[in-house]
Amino acid sequence: MAEKRKVGNLLALAVLAVLFERPMHRYEIAATLKERGKERDMDIKWGSLYTVVQNLEKHGFLEIVGSERAGARPERTIYRITEAGRAELDDWTRELVATPEPEHHRFVAGLSILALLPPDDVVALLGERLRRLAAIIAAEREEIAAQRAAIPRLFIVESEFQLAMLEAEARWAAALRDELAAGTFPDLDVWRRMHAEGVEPAEVVEMVERGDFTLSTDT
């Protein structure tokens, strides 16, 4: 019997889910995932598919059930999911749905060092982000509307969630931009002076650590 959590790659989850339907060879697995746009739902590195399938078999989640050859092409090994693989797929899906987990976001990384930029530049950059988000959101809404006309909602809930996250991000970014543009953001004057007067980063860190995020008038 396979031990749980021998694999943690979301591509492995996608492979198990596809093979839950029926046995396939690796090329068919990749074609099915691409056709369904799974690279939008998770970070898929297609070059690692061979290794992922091998690892799933190694840990007992897949088994080889045959092979096929088409013309002069190399022989293709066919895999199917095992009972242990089905149990792992079920457990893993339940965990993903029920358990919140911190996820890295490039926007959060930028926000974490926002003080490196002058506030007026941040206003402009947020405006550019909002313009791009608006275009993405419009395209997502159009695609979801088309999907709803052809696919049961059960199979597009992940797209609905992604749209909701984009809309929430746009609202938050717009509120931050508006605060900065209106001058109501706390400590905005200090932030401006940091850049206007070339305050050393070490001094800024010291101010934050001592709980005195201000610049004296004789700085």
Side-chain angles (χ1 to χ4, degrees):
M1 179 180 291
E3 297 179 19
K4 291 179 62 177
R5 288 299 172 268
K6 288 295 185 182
V7 289
N9 187 327
L10 288 180
L11 177 54
L13 179 75
V15 169
L16 289 173
V18 167
L19 289 176
F20 185 80
E21 301 173 21
R22 58 184 171 82
M24 300 182 191
H25 52 68
R26 289 192 305 271
Y27 300 96
E28 191 174 7
I29 293 169
T32 302
L33 292 175
K34 289 178 180 177
E35 179 184 351
R36 295 176 182 176
K38 283 301 177 183
E39 68 275 7
R40 297 180 57 196
D41 304 334
M42 57 189 75
D43 182 18
I44 291 181
K45 295 179 175 59
W46 296 109
S48 66
L49 179 62
Y50 178 86
T51 302
V52 167
V53 171
Q54 273 193 322
N55 286 337
L56 287 170
E57 183 201 354
K58 174 184 175 181
H59 297 301
F61 298 128
L62 301 181
E63 61 184 0
I64 296 173
V65 293
S67 62
E68 66 178 35
R69 184 189 299 274
R73 293 179 178 177
E75 190 173 64
R76 295 175 173 178
T77 302
I78 299 174
Y79 298 87
R80 74 178 174 194
I81 192 169
T82 64
E83 285 303 314
R86 289 170 180 261
E88 174 69 8
L89 177 61
D90 184 85
D91 288 347
W92 202 352
T93 304
R94 290 174 184 276
E95 179 183 316
L96 288 171
V97 172
T99 308
E101 184 175 327
E103 298 182 37
H104 298 296
H105 194 299
R106 289 170 58 88
F107 186 37
V108 173
L111 291 171
S112 71
I113 51 175
L114 199 63
L116 295 175
L117 302 175
D120 290 341
D121 288 4
V122 173
V123 171
L125 292 167
L126 288 172
E128 178 60 26
R129 185 179 192 89
L130 286 166
R131 284 190 289 275
R132 294 178 179 180
L133 279 172
I136 295 170
I137 288 170
E140 287 288 324
R141 286 174 176 166
E142 183 176 343
E143 182 171 348
I144 289 174
Q147 288 175 332
R148 283 175 176 162
I151 305 172
R153 187 183 176 200
L154 174 61
F155 301 105
I156 61 171
V157 288
E158 72 277 15
S159 297
E160 293 180 353
F161 175 77
Q162 290 168 344
L163 174 60
M165 293 302 98
L166 288 169
E167 291 172 337
E169 178 185 329
R171 288 193 297 270
W172 188 90
L176 176 59
R177 179 204 56 185
D178 293 345
E179 272 192 273
L180 293 172
T184 58
F185 187 85
D187 305 309
L188 183 59
D189 290 341
V190 179
W191 186 4
R192 290 188 190 281
R193 290 182 58 199
M194 282 166 45
H195 288 276
E197 300 174 11
V199 179
E200 292 295 328
E203 183 179 345
V204 176
V205 172
E206 288 178 6
M207 287 190 296
V208 173
E209 289 179 345
R210 68 173 181 258
D212 180 26
F213 192 56
T214 59
L215 293 173
S216 60
T217 55
D218 57 351
T219 297

